Amino acid sequence: MGEPLKPWNIGIVGAGKISGAYLATLERLTSLRLTAVTDLDRSRARAIAEQAPGGGEPAVAESVADLVARDDVDAVLNLTIPAAHAEVALAALGAGKHVYGEKPLAANRKEADAVLETARTAGLRVGCAPDTVLGTGTQTARKAVDDGLIGRPVAATAFMTTAGHETWHPDPEFYYQPGGGPLLDMGPYYLSALVHLLGPVVRVTGASSRPRAQRTIGSGPRAGHAFPVEVDTHITGVLEHAGGALSTLVMSFDIHAARLPRIEVHGTDASLSLPDPNGFDGAVEIHRGDGWTTLPVSAGYPDAGRGVGLADLAVALSAGRPHRASAELAAHVLDIMLTLMDAAAQGRALQVTSSCERPAPVDGR
């Protein structure tokens, strides 16, 4: 990956469940150094500070405003709930800080546009998860597509099926509020991978449903608590990529078990089967008509974890090149998802008005 000119000082906003995965990556990356953390729950922020890597204990800031104003914060790692993503990003940008955030980039197009425009005006960088697409799984598959191993790409399938996050998450309500749902929650992993593999999407059509009006928490101290469902929880769609390939998508919190593949890409000469895009690695298999065989790892950041996209951003800034887990890609993915939900509601195909450049591949050499 290389190194930036100097270690980046990182301030974390949001000390929830996902922060542990980022801390594990920060511990292995000398290019990033955690210097401050804040959360609405001060005890969670203190817990993050106490377990932070690097020897020195980060400061626990009183608020987002206090954290983004600190001189020892170069970039803000935004791990808040989806509804707060844009608000925190804009606060950081307003304080002159670069931002890398969890997905989705924002809850709606207006907020996403505001983040992009503010960053452009200020000359600052904004990155956005998922960075799983930078691992060896998706990148090995992308290299196979780019090298012509499957011929001309014709179609892809992407399936994410689960019974719902309330079965394991102790506080799952936000997954079922505006800004949540299976598409906005898990769709970014699958759609980011599809854009890396096949390029931007130009048109979508689909359908959606909400089979249950409420859900019940299944684990943790609040087990048995019922809460309302405010978004559709089963979404299916067809995506037309700019290059002509068609992707079929199913995102669901209503399927108890399935034997569907995660992502497959089919070309005129062969088919690819990819590992879970919610992970960084895994076997990529190819079928040329004589059975499935595993491709050797040929691209991607090896042994990557959540936060590698932030490290890529830091190195890209030093090198003067675009970063791969970009806000532009995240905004296009958000627009695809929102347009798909609009298409489902209206019962017709709709154009996706945004676009983005296909991010540069991660050379595995």
Side-chain angles (χ1 to χ4, degrees):
M1 179 181 293
E3 298 287 341
L5 295 178
K6 63 177 182 177
W8 247 21
N9 293 328
I10 305 301
I12 291 180
V13 178
K17 194 174 183 70
I18 194 63
S19 61
Y22 280 89
L23 287 176
T25 302
L26 290 176
E27 190 171 6
R28 298 187 287 112
L29 294 174
T30 59
S31 60
L32 305 176
R33 179 173 59 204
L34 181 59
T35 54
V37 60
T38 191
D39 190 274
L40 293 174
D41 184 336
R42 294 292 301 282
S43 65
R44 294 201 308 187
R46 283 193 295 270
I48 291 294
E50 289 169 1
Q51 64 179 299
E57 187 172 314
V60 177
E62 293 285 339
S63 65
V64 173
D66 290 338
L67 183 139
V68 301
R70 294 181 64 91
D71 292 334
D72 62 351
V73 171
D74 299 316
V76 171
L77 177 54
N78 182 4
L79 304 182
T80 56
I81 63 172
H85 285 177
E87 179 184 356
V88 173
L90 290 171
L93 293 168
K97 312 297 183 182
H98 304 286
V99 184
Y100 184 90
E102 257 301 315
K103 48 73 190 168
L105 178 65
N108 54 59
R109 297 179 185 88
K110 183 177 179 180
E111 290 182 350
D113 289 344
V115 171
L116 290 173
E117 182 57 31
T118 301
R120 279 193 291 264
T121 300
L124 295 167
R125 298 282 187 116
V126 178
C128 187
D131 51 7
T132 49
V133 290
L134 307 183
T136 55
T138 299
Q139 290 296 316
T140 292
R142 174 177 175 163
K143 189 173 190 310
V145 172
D146 291 349
D147 288 350
L149 297 189
I150 66 169
R152 178 173 58 83
V154 173
T157 57
F159 301 114
M160 192 293 300
T161 59
T162 178
H165 291 351
E166 73 276 11
T167 60
W168 59 270
H169 199 291
D171 299 295
E173 285 94 335
F174 71 91
Y175 289 112
Y176 297 90
Q177 296 168 353
L183 184 59
L184 286 177
D185 175 46
M186 297 300 293
Y189 297 106
Y190 292 78
L191 291 168
S192 295
L194 290 173
V195 172
H196 269 265
L197 293 161
L198 301 173
V201 173
V202 296
R203 188 170 62 162
V204 299
T205 189
S208 63
S209 65
R210 192 181 313 179
R212 285 177 277 172
Q214 68 176 25
R215 302 270 178 144
T216 302
I217 298 175
S219 63
R222 300 173 64 224
H225 172 74
F227 60 91
V229 175
E230 302 177 40
V231 295
D232 286 355
T233 52
H234 185 96
I235 296 96
T236 184
V238 177
L239 322 175
E240 181 181 340
H241 295 266
L246 300 177
S247 290
T248 301
L249 182 78
V250 174
M251 301 279 119
S252 182
F253 285 167
D254 292 295
I255 296 178
H256 288 277
R259 293 178 175 175
L260 297 165
R262 301 293 188 172
I263 294 181
E264 291 183 345
V265 182
H266 307 285
T268 53
D269 298 335
S271 293
L272 287 175
S273 181
L274 279 68
D276 186 352
N278 193 13
F280 288 86
D281 51 19
V284 176
E285 297 181 301
I286 191 168
H287 196 298
R288 298 181 174 94
D290 54 354
W292 291 100
T293 58
T294 300
L295 290 172
V297 172
S298 59
Y301 291 129
D303 303 317
R306 278 172 168 77
V308 69
L310 174 58
D312 179 84
L313 193 161
V315 173
L317 183 63
S318 293
R321 64 164 173 82
H323 54 285
R324 295 178 173 91
S326 70
E328 289 74 18
L329 170 60
H332 180 56
V333 167
L334 176 65
D335 191 25
I336 295 169
M337 295 187 296
L338 295 177
T339 305
L340 176 54
M341 290 192 291
D342 289 343
Q346 297 175 27
R348 63 192 182 98
L350 293 176
Q351 297 295 124
V352 178
T353 57
S354 68
S355 190
C356 69
E357 295 293 328
R358 220 174 147 214
V362 180
D363 194 334
R365 291 175 296 177

